[in-house]
Amino acid sequence: MWGYILRRLLLIIPTLVIILLVNFVIIQAAPGGPVEQAIAHLQGIGGASVGGGASETMSATSRASRGLDPQLIKDIEKQYGFDKPAHERLWLMLKNYAQLDFGKSFFRGATVTDLILEKMPVTISLGLWATLITYLVSIPLGIRKAVHHGSHFDIWSSTAIIIGYAMPAFLFAMFLIVVFAGGTSLNWFPVRGLVSDNFESLSTLGKIADYFWHLVLPVTALVIGGFATLTILTKTSFLNEITRQYVVTARAKGLSERRVLYGHVFRNAMLLVVSGIPQAFISVFFAGSLLIEVIFSLDGLGRMSYEAAVSRDYPVVFGSLFIFTLFGLLIKLVGDLCYTLVDPRIDFAARNA
């Protein structure tokens, strides 16, 4: 097992390098970089990052740069590190990343590490609680649906699940705001930030209550999509295992239904469910949180990464990409290790021998 873990950890290094290399090439080829934007702003050409098409921006910037002092343009390129060839910039970036030095943001006046550490609690709060609640609700519900397959409970719960699955998270978030955050006569939950303005003056219990009070709506909006998928997956897994011959044999031996379900079926059925944990967590943690962070004014990693991509803040873009990729690979490794917790018969060391 330890040999398998070590091999997986070592594979993370070339994977990170390849992903950074591919994205470096793509970003270098994209028009409208920080140098072009700085030149455009000096010439009073607004909207370099969001207005008009990329070709229009580059054309306008190229025309504007003709009236600037060439030394000033060189100074701008040096300020953003574009005075070096692309391969030198790539090597310098990889060398710094090996030391966990992600550089300094072009436009935010802070190091990328400080920005990531500042935004991380918001994104972790959303991803962790949404994933935890999804699994705590979906697995028991999926098991119950499998045991009572075809019953009235199974039918009406499936209807609710399908409706939840068909509704995008951002649309459900807006629905929650309208209903429970002042859009109607109900104004039960806040819609901005992770804590209240007077958070520091609250007692310990008050801080905990305030924190979870702010999480209710965004976490609920995130849960709705993954909740439906995981419930159906759990039900399907259990239905598939319940029809196996070993279940029939166990029942014929006189074992109780509870013993058959949780002593035999659960271990095998959960393998498929456990395999989906990394993907579910990654989806919620990275992809799903962006729109939710924007809608609920939460200053997290997803929102910061989007704004950095729009403004061509390359150090923040690559630093966020590095963190996202590293977390994703580590979470996938944890998902593999969870197999052994569910079914100790699985031995990765023997499989890779």
Side-chain angles (χ1 to χ4, degrees):
M1 174 60 72
W2 290 109
Y4 172 78
I5 295 175
L6 180 60
R7 286 194 295 271
R8 286 291 298 271
L9 291 176
L10 291 177
L11 281 173
I12 288 177
I13 298 175
T15 304
L16 284 171
V17 172
I18 292 173
I19 291 176
L20 288 174
L21 176 61
V22 171
N23 282 273
F24 182 86
V25 172
I26 294 174
I27 288 181
Q28 296 306 308
V35 174
E36 289 80 4
Q37 291 193 44
I39 293 174
H41 283 301
L42 286 175
Q43 291 294 325
I45 302 175
S49 59
V50 293
S55 60
E56 295 176 3
T57 299
M58 287 296 293
S59 176
T61 303
S62 177
R63 291 195 301 269
S65 64
R66 296 172 186 171
L68 292 178
D69 184 358
Q71 183 59 43
L72 176 59
I73 297 177
K74 291 182 179 180
D75 291 340
I76 294 175
E77 292 176 345
K78 184 176 181 179
Q79 177 184 352
Y80 293 120
F82 282 82
D83 57 326
K84 302 180 180 66
H87 68 277
E88 290 187 18
R89 284 185 277 122
L90 175 62
W91 171 248
L92 182 62
M93 183 185 72
L94 293 177
K95 186 170 66 173
N96 291 335
Y97 274 36
Q99 305 171 16
L100 297 182
D101 178 9
F102 304 126
K104 187 176 181 180
S105 169
F106 288 157
F107 309 115
R108 293 174 179 259
T111 64
V112 176
T113 301
D114 290 340
L115 289 172
I116 291 175
L117 292 176
E118 178 186 347
K119 314 298 182 183
M120 185 74 78
V122 174
T123 303
I124 288 180
S125 293
L126 291 176
L128 182 63
W129 290 114
T131 305
L132 182 63
I133 292 174
T134 298
Y135 273 78
L136 288 178
V137 174
S138 298
I139 291 177
L141 179 60
I143 294 174
R144 181 174 175 80
K145 286 174 62 63
V147 173
H148 300 281
H149 179 61
S151 65
H152 290 293
F153 169 79
D154 182 39
I155 294 174
W156 71 258
S157 60
S158 295
T159 303
I161 288 172
I162 291 173
I163 294 175
Y165 181 76
M167 183 176 294
F170 73 90
L171 183 61
F172 189 65
M174 297 174 65
F175 169 77
L176 292 176
I177 291 175
V178 170
V179 176
F180 298 109
T184 61
S185 58
L186 303 179
N187 190 12
W188 292 350
F189 301 100
V191 292
R192 294 184 62 85
L194 195 61
V195 294
S196 300
D197 294 335
N198 63 335
F199 181 78
E200 295 299 330
S201 63
L202 299 176
S203 63
T204 302
L205 290 178
K207 289 180 179 179
I208 296 175
D210 182 75
Y211 167 73
F212 284 107
W213 183 46
H214 281 75
L215 279 177
V216 170
L217 294 187
V219 169
T220 302
L222 276 176
V223 163
I224 191 68
F227 164 79
T229 303
L230 184 59
T231 301
I232 298 300
L233 177 62
T234 304
K235 177 188 175 182
T236 304
S237 299
F238 271 78
L239 283 177
N240 184 54
E241 292 297 323
I242 287 174
T243 59
R244 297 291 181 89
Q245 183 62 42
Y246 73 89
V247 176
V248 177
T249 304
R251 287 171 174 166
K253 290 182 178 180
L255 296 180
S256 65
E257 191 66 21
R258 183 178 183 85
R259 177 71 182 278
V260 171
L261 186 62
Y262 293 100
H264 297 274
V265 175
F266 182 83
R267 184 173 61 184
N268 295 320
M270 284 301 295
L271 289 175
L272 183 59
V273 177
V274 167
S275 67
I277 291 179
Q279 186 61 42
F281 188 76
I282 293 171
S283 299
V284 173
F285 192 77
F286 302 129
S289 63
L290 171 59
L291 289 176
I292 300 301
E293 288 178 7
V294 172
I295 292 173
F296 291 97
S297 300
L298 298 171
D299 198 8
L301 284 177
R303 183 176 178 182
M304 182 188 72
S305 302
Y306 170 75
E307 293 175 352
V310 171
S311 62
R312 303 297 196 272
D313 195 346
Y314 292 160
V316 177
V317 171
F318 282 111
S320 302
L321 175 66
F322 182 89
I323 294 298
F324 286 173
T325 306
L326 180 61
F327 266 81
L329 294 173
L330 291 176
I331 291 170
K332 286 183 178 296
L333 174 58
V334 171
D336 286 348
L337 298 180
C338 286
Y339 278 123
T340 61
L341 297 178
V342 177
D343 191 347
R345 296 173 299 176
I346 296 178
D347 187 353
F348 288 105
R351 188 188 68 178
N352 288 276

